[in-house]
Every structure is written in C-alpha cells, then in structure tokens.
Amino acid sequence: MPTFMRRLRQETPGWVRDGVVTAQQAEGILARYPESGRWFQRPIVIFSILGGALVVLAIALVIAHNWAEIPRWAKLAGVLTLLLGSYAGGLFLRARDRGLVGEGLFVLGGGLLLLGIALIGQLYNLAGRESDAVLLWWALLIPAAYALPSIALIVLGWCGASVWFCMFVLDRTTWLGRDVYANATLGAVAFGAVGVLVWALGSLHGDGEFHRARRVIEQLGLLTILIAMVPLGFLKQLGGWWIVGASTRLPAAVLVLLALAAVAVGAAWLRFPPDRPIIRAGLAASLLLVIVYLLVVTLKLVQQTPESVYHMLGWTNWAILLVVALALILCGARWDRSAWINWGVIWIGVDAVARYVELVGTMLQASALFAATGVFVLALGGALELLRRRVTAKVAVLRASA
C-alpha cells in the first residue's frame, strides 16, 4: 500500500505538531507500517511480467502460424475457455481480497468477449457494420459488469459504448449518420445530447455501491458536453466549414437523442441528494438549458437562417456554459462531489479562453495572439486553481465538522 504509507509519512509531522500524538508514538506508528517499494520495482514482478509476456507471445506466434489448420471448434473452444477462465479467476481472487488483480482479469475477460465476437464473425462470414459488433459487445458487457459487480468492467463497457457511438455517427449508412452527413453541425449537436444523456445516466448511480462508476460516467458526460458545445460557440466564424447547407428535412435521429437526454435529466433529478428544492431544480434546469439550446440550433439549421442569428447563438452558447459551470460548482460543493467542482472550473476556463480568442483573434497577428493568449491562459489557470482549492477546502471542512 505505497499510497497509504506515503500519506501516513506526510501526516504524522502535523499530528506531532498539533499534539495529537507524541514524537515517540509517531515513530511507533511509522514502524508499524514499513515502507516498501512499488510493485513494479520488485524484481520478481518485473521478471514475471517479462517471462509471461514472452510465453504469451510464443503461443500467439504458434497459433498465428497454424491458424488456417486449426479446426473451427478448437478456435471457439479456446476463446471460450480463456473467457470463462478470466471471469472465474477474477471471482476467485476477489474472494481472497485480491480485488485489483481480480478486476484486471474481469477486464481481460471483457476484451476476450470482443475477440470472440470478431472471431465468430470471421469464421461464419457474417456481414454487417463494424459498429454492430461493438454494439453487441458493450450490450452484453454492461449487464454482466453490473451483475458481478465490477467497477473496472463497468468503465470498460461505457468506454465501449462511447466508441460505438462515434462509429455510429461517422457511418453515413446509419439513421444518425445520414443526418450528420447532411449537415456537419448536427454531429456536434448529437454529441452534446449524448453528453447530457451520459451525465444523467451516471447520476442515476447515486452514492451507493456504484458511486465510483458514477464519478467516471459523469465526467465522461461532462467532457463530451464541453467538446460539443465549444465548437458550436463559433458557428458564425466557422460557418463555412460547419454549416454544409440548409436542409428542409427535420433530423429525426437528432431530435430523438435530445428527447432521450431530457427524459434522463428528469430521472436524474429524482436521484439528486436531498437539498432545498430550488438547488436540485436549478442543476436540472441548467442541463435542460443545454438541451433547449441544442434543439434551437437544430431547428435553425434546417431553415434559411440569417448570419446574425448564428452570432446570437454563439453568445448564448458561452452564457449557457457559464451557467452550467456555476451550477456544477455550487452543487458539487453542497453535495461533496469534487469532480463537479473541478469540471465547473475547467468549463469556466475553457469558456474564458474561447471568448478571448474570439474577441482578440481578429485584432492581432498570429504570433502576438499566441503570446498574449499564453499569458492569459497561465494567469487564468492560476486564478482558477486557487478558486478550486478554496472551494475544495471548504467542502473538506464542512465534511469534517458534519
């Protein structure tokens, strides 16, 4: 437990200084937990990894060299045996307090599941989109992850779902890809809607058994929203690239995504921690503002909209980013969710930098713009870090006094 021991050595001088323990008692505590090297610094671990990797490589080369001669049933049986062995080994090790190694075997089993799906498709010459195989993978993986339960496998499943969605959007033969290829800006709208949906589904995990999965999924959603919203703030400046052309057909696929995101936000509101109704409703309303904005952008894209409207939508974009960021910081401080505080600060920083570039970018040469922007970003980063530390420290004090 190197992290625990390092933290212990950092804290004991403060305990002695504050009179919590004496110097002799502190030395006794440190002697009780002697510091050991990290796992990757132990020779047996290094040689075990190298030896195991060489053995696996040798087996892989033999199989690859004789792949055509191996019977079909043997290939499937081999993958199935490895798959079941990984999950059985993970359960066995977890029952014996080897949770990290067990989680690693669960993840290995998740990867073998994808390999098995690909192998079946190759052996039986199954036709279809590549995204369909990824869809089948995470659709089977996520229920198994929650049933075990395994946080690492849950994260792997959600990452697989993210990859599938990207493949789905970029494939013009899908119902969503057709809308996106008709107008490239709808791709950002779709990612923004999915970001809100993912964040809301993450919040539904609550503070119980799956709270660690909640943190990861929520942050994945917040990152996706930010990546989608920032380019939409430059609709006027990048109109020639983003707005491929007006369409007279409503993008039904994108509208369905927006509706699902709105329903998910409403469901997440029911799972928010107990607090004053206005606080709980304020966070949900700020996310609904994002959905409403994305809906307005979608409707304007199918109409012959004047350029001035896109300029107004750009300013609205930055205002919504700021509102959601402040809501995340406020609720994160009240509900002890430090990741929300961090992401709220990041959103404010990105919003400020984007506005700075938009306002100043046309008035300076490239070199001067980069230099001025660099100084601005450094100053802004320092100020936001001070803000983040103060808010986090207040949350820690409130948690300790509770």
Side-chain angles (χ1 to χ4, degrees):
M1 301 169 61
T3 302
F4 167 74
M5 290 183 290
R6 185 167 56 252
R7 179 69 182 273
L8 188 63
R9 278 160 176 73
Q10 293 173 352
E11 295 291 338
T12 47
W15 297 349
V16 175
R17 185 171 55 253
D18 296 338
V20 178
V21 296
T22 64
Q24 293 76 15
Q25 290 174 329
E27 292 177 0
I29 293 174
L30 293 177
R32 188 178 182 86
Y33 300 98
E35 187 172 8
S36 60
R38 294 179 179 270
W39 65 269
F40 53 79
Q41 295 175 340
R42 301 173 187 173
I44 183 61
V45 174
I46 296 174
F47 285 105
S48 297
I49 292 175
L50 290 177
L54 291 173
V55 171
V56 171
L57 179 61
I59 296 174
L61 289 174
V62 171
I63 294 175
H65 184 70
N66 300 279
W67 183 253
E69 287 75 22
I70 298 176
R72 180 182 298 176
W73 64 267
K75 297 174 182 177
L76 292 176
V79 173
L80 183 61
T81 300
L82 291 174
L83 177 63
L84 295 178
S86 297
Y87 284 113
L91 291 172
F92 177 81
L93 291 173
R94 188 171 66 177
R96 282 153 180 77
D97 296 328
R98 299 285 183 178
L100 291 178
V101 182
E103 290 288 304
L105 287 179
F106 288 148
V107 172
L108 175 61
L112 288 171
L113 176 60
L114 179 60
L115 179 62
I117 293 173
L119 180 60
I120 292 174
Q122 180 196 43
L123 293 178
Y124 294 96
N125 297 318
L126 300 180
R129 305 187 187 99
E130 293 180 356
S131 60
D132 292 339
V134 181
L135 170 62
L136 178 61
W137 174 54
W138 70 261
L140 293 174
L141 189 64
I142 288 184
Y146 284 99
L148 282 170
S150 168
I151 301 301
L153 208 57
I154 291 173
V155 173
L156 179 63
W158 279 93
C159 290
S162 303
V163 172
W164 166 79
F165 182 76
C166 293
M167 297 173 66
F168 194 72
V169 171
L170 297 176
D171 187 352
R172 66 176 64 209
T173 64
T174 64
W175 51 275
L176 182 57
R178 284 192 295 269
D179 287 346
V180 172
Y181 273 91
N183 194 313
T185 315
L186 290 176
V189 174
F191 273 96
V194 166
V196 176
L197 177 62
V198 170
W199 178 86
L201 292 176
S203 297
L204 288 174
H205 288 72
D207 295 321
E209 181 181 8
F210 299 108
H211 69 279
R212 289 188 295 167
R214 171 185 59 77
R215 289 200 295 263
V216 175
I217 298 170
E218 283 178 345
Q219 293 184 69
L220 177 63
L222 293 175
L223 174 62
T224 305
I225 298 171
L226 183 62
I227 292 175
M229 290 290 285
V230 169
L232 289 176
F234 294 95
L235 274 177
K236 180 184 177 184
Q237 291 79 0
L238 302 178
W241 186 83
W242 280 97
I243 306 172
V244 178
S247 173
T248 57
R249 183 179 63 86
L250 283 175
V254 176
L255 295 178
V256 169
L257 279 179
L258 291 171
L260 290 175
V263 172
V265 170
W269 171 75
L270 299 175
R271 292 282 290 168
F272 288 163
D275 204 334
R276 293 162 54 191
I278 191 173
I279 300 296
R280 301 173 78 247
L283 179 60
S286 67
L287 270 299
L288 289 176
L289 272 180
V290 175
I291 298 175
V292 172
Y293 170 79
L294 295 174
L295 176 61
V296 172
V297 170
T298 302
L299 296 178
K300 293 302 178 182
L301 288 173
V302 299
Q303 301 171 356
Q304 296 291 341
T305 303
E307 185 179 354
S308 59
V309 174
Y310 291 115
H311 186 69
M312 183 177 64
L313 287 174
W315 282 91
T316 305
N317 177 292
W318 305 126
I320 291 176
L321 278 177
L322 181 60
V323 169
V324 178
L326 293 176
L328 287 172
I329 293 174
L330 172 62
C331 294
R334 294 179 67 92
W335 300 340
D336 190 19
R337 297 191 174 179
S338 58
W340 290 12
I341 300 174
N342 296 336
W343 277 103
V345 171
I346 291 173
W347 277 35
I348 292 175
V350 172
D351 197 9
V353 171
R355 295 301 305 151
Y356 176 86
V357 172
E358 181 186 10
L359 294 174
V360 183
T362 57
M363 298 186 295
L364 296 176
Q365 294 181 352
S367 59
L369 173 63
F370 288 144
T373 304
V375 174
F376 174 76
V377 169
L378 289 174
L380 178 66
L384 291 177
E385 176 62 17
L386 290 176
L387 172 64
R388 187 193 68 81
R389 290 184 179 182
R390 288 178 181 176
V391 174
T392 305
K394 290 182 180 178
V395 172
V397 171
L398 292 174
R399 189 190 313 139
S401 60

